[in-house]
Amino acid sequence: MRIGKTVARVFDYCRANAWPLFVAAWFPCLLSTLCLAVLALILFADPEQVPSWLLSRGFAPRTWLSAIVAAPFSAMVFAFVLDRMENAPERGRVVVRRGIESVKRFAIPGMRFEIGQRILLAASLLAAVQLLCGFVVAGEYRLLVAGLLATHDLPLNPDDVASWAMARGVFNMVAGGFVLAWTYLFVGDFLWTGSFDPIGCWRALDGNRLRFVAILFIVFATVAILKYGLGLAVGLILIRADAASPSFLSLMLMHFGLGWPFDVLHLVLSAATVGTILGAFRPAAIASIRPAAAL
């Protein structure tokens, strides 16, 4: 498996099917963004009233509840994109899928919202991994602060803090990307086959594991560069040095409003990459697929 060819194949597929994939993913991502925004508004509009046991620096927003809130919607996007890849309709035609029949009078063509057993189990796996990683990051932050306080005189030198913070950030980015890549693969395999078989996935990619991780790192990096580049540009334009500090509500709306399209892009590209990898290395499993929408 050549990294460049696989990445090109994923981007070509997403470009050729951009509208159907967007239609499959936009609604769960919108709900996730709205739920996280409401959570942030409730908890952080008055930070002094937030119970300390709800807070953690390893999550965004900085509460472990955010991992639980976002997981079902991320699982839905993976299920819908993988289902689209396996059961693609005729080119250019958008199908109103099962899952909105109960609200058909209010349905938007292509909008999907489904909570089935398989999606809930996939969401549980996503939430568990994100909770574990988030708490590890929070614990790492506490250890770093404790170490700096124990080995440096107060006040702390900004240069000392910056170097350790940068090293910590690079390590977390690499380790977090590695864990997230394999989590996405295991979740995608479970959604397609209905069986949780991480050992089978690991064995199927024998000789291509680092290439697989590198491919998803390219996807993650592409989305991150676009997202934070746009965020920086908007911040420089809207938040002038001589202007008054923006309100909490303005910052929150800007954060979640800018983040939503990139959340869609991140999940769609990740799911398409997982589908491409599974199609190449797990053909026996794909033959037994039951579409996620059928649950």
Side-chain angles (χ1 to χ4, degrees):
M1 179 176 63
R2 296 180 180 274
I3 294 177
K5 287 186 177 179
T6 306
V7 172
R9 186 184 307 168
V10 171
F11 281 94
D12 286 345
Y13 173 82
C14 291
R15 183 175 63 252
N17 297 274
W19 176 246
L21 290 173
F22 173 77
V23 169
W26 75 270
F27 189 59
C29 287
L30 177 62
L31 291 179
S32 177
T33 298
L34 291 176
C35 290
L36 289 174
V38 170
L39 180 65
L41 184 61
I42 292 173
L43 291 182
F44 301 112
D46 188 4
E48 296 181 357
Q49 302 299 320
V50 183
S52 59
W53 59 272
L54 285 177
L55 302 179
S56 178
R57 287 181 171 270
F59 304 91
R62 291 187 175 182
T63 170
W64 52 267
L65 291 175
S66 59
I68 298 174
V69 167
F73 304 109
S74 298
M76 280 184 223
V77 173
F78 260 73
F80 300 163
V81 171
L82 293 175
D83 185 47
R84 162 78 199 182
M85 294 179 75
E86 176 60 18
N87 301 283
E90 298 171 7
R91 183 177 179 84
R93 182 166 65 91
V94 178
V95 174
V96 180
R97 301 277 192 166
R98 175 185 176 275
I100 61 171
E101 294 174 359
S102 60
V103 290
K104 195 169 184 179
R105 290 176 300 172
F106 312 102
I108 299 174
M111 184 180 73
R112 297 184 68 180
F113 179 88
E114 299 177 24
I115 294 289
Q117 181 181 8
R118 196 180 300 185
I119 289 177
L120 287 176
L121 290 174
S124 298
L125 176 59
L126 285 172
V129 171
Q130 290 169 357
L131 286 170
L132 176 62
C133 292
F135 286 132
V136 168
V137 170
E140 180 188 278
Y141 173 81
R142 294 190 183 95
L143 287 175
L144 175 62
V145 172
L148 289 173
L149 292 176
T151 56
H152 295 75
D153 295 329
L154 293 177
L156 292 174
N157 188 331
D159 292 335
D160 294 332
V161 175
S163 59
W164 280 102
M166 181 178 297
R168 172 177 171 267
V170 171
F171 173 79
N172 287 340
M173 180 180 65
V174 174
F178 182 85
V179 172
L180 189 61
W182 285 101
T183 301
Y184 280 171
L185 184 69
F186 297 155
V187 166
D189 186 63
F190 170 73
L191 287 168
W192 271 25
T193 65
S195 62
F196 183 62
D197 186 19
I199 296 177
C201 283
W202 180 265
R203 290 175 177 172
L205 267 69
D206 186 25
N208 292 283
R209 293 166 189 147
L210 290 180
R211 292 186 181 94
F212 160 68
V213 174
I215 290 167
L216 268 183
F217 261 87
I218 292 172
V219 171
F220 296 161
T222 300
V223 177
I225 291 171
L226 292 173
K227 178 178 180 179
Y228 292 109
L230 178 62
L232 178 61
V234 172
L236 291 175
I237 294 173
L238 298 182
I239 305 176
R240 301 186 304 275
D242 58 343
S245 298
S247 66
F248 169 77
L249 183 60
S250 298
L251 289 174
M252 190 186 71
L253 291 175
M254 184 170 66
H255 172 77
F256 287 106
L258 290 175
W260 172 72
F262 293 101
D263 292 340
V264 176
L265 184 62
H266 169 88
L267 289 172
V268 166
L269 287 176
S270 298
T273 302
V274 167
T276 302
I277 297 298
L278 290 174
F281 294 101
R282 297 274 279 173
I286 293 173
S288 63
I289 290 171
R290 291 177 300 161
L295 290 180

